[in-house]
Amino acid sequence: MTQFAKVQATRGAFLRADIAVIVIVIVLGMGFADFFSSGNSPYLEKVDINTSISSLPSYSLLSFVRSLIALILSYIFAVIYGTIAANNKSLEKIMIPLLDVLQSLPVVAFLPGFVLALISIFQGSRWGLEFACILTIFTGQVWNLAFAYYESQRTLQPEFKEVAKIYQLTKLQKFFFVDFPNGYRPLIYNGMMSMAGGWFFLTTCEAFTLGNKDFRLPGLGSYIAETFATGNYINFSIALVTLLIIIVSTDIFLWKPLIAWVSRYRDSDDGKGIQDDNWFLNLIRQTSIPEIISNFFKKSILFLFPKSNINESGATRKYLIDNIDKWGTVISPKNWFSDENVNKIRRSSVLSLLVTFAIGGLVFTLLPKLPSFGQTLASLSSKDWFNLMNAVFFTGIKVLLVLIISSIWTIPVGLWLGLNPRLETFFQPIIQNLAAFPAPVLFPLITLGLSFGNIPPFINATLLMCVGCQWYILFNVIGGASRISADLKFVTQIYKFSLWHRFSKLYFPAILPSLATGWITAAGGAWNASMVAEVVEFPGGSMHSFGIGAELASASAQGNYQKLIAAIICIVVTLIILNRTLWRTLQIFAERVKD
């Protein structure tokens, strides 16, 4: 049986483990207390950001809590969305193009609607801005996770599906025993990239300007933006170091233990023992917390699905009993249509009916506003529309160059690391820290350095977009390479394949599904980053590169809602066309090549 293993230790080791866990809980508790205090504060048109060093700890905790809440919401959404899209062919045709559109929209496309709507709902408190900030960070994290989990379900090996049929697993059992474990690695590896995406737009999410209105929240992002704008470069540098400490601490206390835990699900055995010994994971095991959580989980599930209802065949019963301590759940297929479950289905049908009526009511509420919406767009001339379409084309060329430039180095490096677990263990935290660093705060300095070389704005903006988007490809290539079977690699050694033949016959086909996901998410990240890469203010000047990101930034700063909506429409139409032609074809080809 798979249980949380207790590490043999002295009484002093147990005491140190308990103290360490208590300290972490207290620090997180302080962060959540500051978060609730910030939300309950009265709403102000402009919040003064305290740029003293003493405010950094509180601001840092606030930003971390917002990012953590957004990450939890992102995981929940990604698993639900990816499961539905991978198992429903009809909905998949709508959900995946929609996901591509949403992940490619710049954050400024979400911020105005989030801010204005939530402020009107939470009048008198700052909860509107808090929820708008969390949802905006959510939009920077969730799409990558959803694509990664969807790809893991689409590429699930057929033998696992056969095992589920042989043991007559229900849909829920198949999800917990087969589907969900297959998504562990991509969820964790892309979770690091997603959290990095949240930090990437931290300054934009916490310090947002719309026309003459300045929406700010106390946090590390607004602190960084304020110190840089006021020329307080000493505190600005200290804030960057603080952010680096948060990123490293998150890697030590969150991602490394998760990677060590998930290493048991590695298809190949060449990484066994490399990452499965993590000091913090062992520290957690020395406490009573995992056992308490496990017992609570099992008792809750067994209360809902009593063991007395089990009436399985011998093989199936043994399989389920062997996994009861791991998952804490046993559900009998023969009881799937029991009276209790039929009542649940009926209740779910009533719930679906209520949701349908709610959506219908929302649609009919918005219908009267469509004429005014049409009049708003009609105020734009044909020249304005042509200019926006031209801007989309130029930004699209930059996105293509970003994918080409990034792939040149990320594919070989990602294969090198993914095929060598020891190197992956060493370089993974370094890559994660580089990916998580909010590059937009350094864009002014990078642009200032590039300006001395008289580099054209078009190339400058393309290089800036590469800074944050190349990591999407690298993480996915590493994840795809790490799932290559050791048996297949052994076959290439027996037949003495050359390096090129190994790449063309094994490595590239094996990583292509993950690489396709990396290209899609990197392209979405590049469209997203265009807003901060095409217009950059730096000490002594500014850089302006023509593109849809620059048009969006200009419309947002001027409060030109007509132009802002029209620009979003142009991006959405372009992304739908790209998804239904380029990306959909690439995904189908990747699945066929892998099979």
Side-chain angles (χ1 to χ4, degrees), residues 84-219:
I84 296 174
N87 293 282
N88 192 308
K89 298 294 183 182
S90 301
L91 293 178
E92 180 188 22
K93 296 177 181 179
I94 301 174
M95 295 176 70
I96 297 305
L98 178 62
L99 191 65
D100 184 34
V101 170
L102 291 174
Q103 66 126 4
S104 302
L105 285 176
V107 293
V108 73
F110 298 100
L111 263 177
F114 285 160
V115 171
L116 297 178
L118 290 171
I119 285 179
S120 63
I121 294 174
F122 297 93
Q123 296 181 0
S125 71
R126 208 183 294 168
W127 280 117
L129 281 179
E130 287 287 354
F131 288 142
C133 181
I134 290 173
L135 287 175
T136 307
I137 298 174
F138 168 85
T139 61
Q141 295 178 343
V142 66
W143 320 125
N144 179 48
L145 285 172
F147 265 117
Y149 188 75
Y150 165 77
E151 182 260 332
S152 72
Q153 301 308 296
R154 291 282 296 176
T155 57
L156 182 65
Q157 296 182 13
E159 50 265 34
F160 291 133
K161 298 179 182 179
E162 291 299 325
V163 168
K165 290 181 180 179
I166 292 173
Y167 286 111
Q168 298 179 354
L169 300 183
T170 66
K171 290 184 178 180
L172 193 58
Q173 289 171 335
K174 180 176 177 291
F175 171 78
F176 280 114
F177 296 149
V178 180
D179 299 339
F180 194 42
N182 190 62
Y184 284 164
R185 288 182 65 83
L187 281 177
I188 291 176
Y189 275 88
N190 284 277
M192 293 186 289
M193 190 64 236
S194 293
M195 200 164 193
W199 291 118
F200 189 88
F201 286 102
L202 185 64
T203 54
T204 305
C205 297
E206 292 183 348
F208 174 63
T209 302
L210 183 62
N212 57 354
K213 295 182 179 180
D214 188 5
F215 301 101
R216 293 192 185 189
L217 282 172

Side-chain angles (χ1 to χ4, degrees), residues 11 15 31 60 64 70 83 122 127 262 290 408:
R11 182 175 299 179
L15 181 62
S60 301
F64 180 76
T83 300
F122 297 93
W127 280 117
V262 83
I408 289 174

Side-chain angles (χ1 to χ4, degrees), residues 324-335:
I324 180 66
D325 288 312
K326 180 177 180 180
W327 297 106
T329 178
V330 176
I331 305 169
S332 174
K334 298 181 180 180
N335 295 313

Side-chain angles (χ1 to χ4, degrees), residues 357-368:
F357 274 112
I359 295 174
L362 179 62
V363 171
F364 279 105
T365 302
L366 295 176
L367 279 177

Side-chain angles (χ1 to χ4, degrees), residues 254-282:
L254 178 62
W255 298 121
K256 278 190 175 179
L258 285 176
I259 291 174
W261 174 75
V262 83
S263 63
R264 69 184 69 178
Y265 297 97
R266 192 182 184 102
D267 292 339
S268 59
D269 58 357
D270 54 355
K272 188 176 181 180
I274 301 299
Q275 294 180 334
D276 57 357
D277 186 18
N278 178 263
W279 69 271
F280 186 68
L281 184 62
N282 291 336

Side-chain angles (χ1 to χ4, degrees), residues 34 69 81 148 174 185 272 350 444 451 491 572:
D34 286 343
I69 293 174
Y81 199 96
K174 180 176 177 291
R185 288 182 65 83
K272 188 176 181 180
V350 173
S451 64
V491 169
V572 169

Side-chain angles (χ1 to χ4, degrees), residues 48 79 161 196 249 283 312 405 472 520:
D48 292 329
V79 172
K161 298 179 182 179
S249 301
L283 190 71
E312 300 287 338
I405 295 172
Y472 289 99
I520 294 172

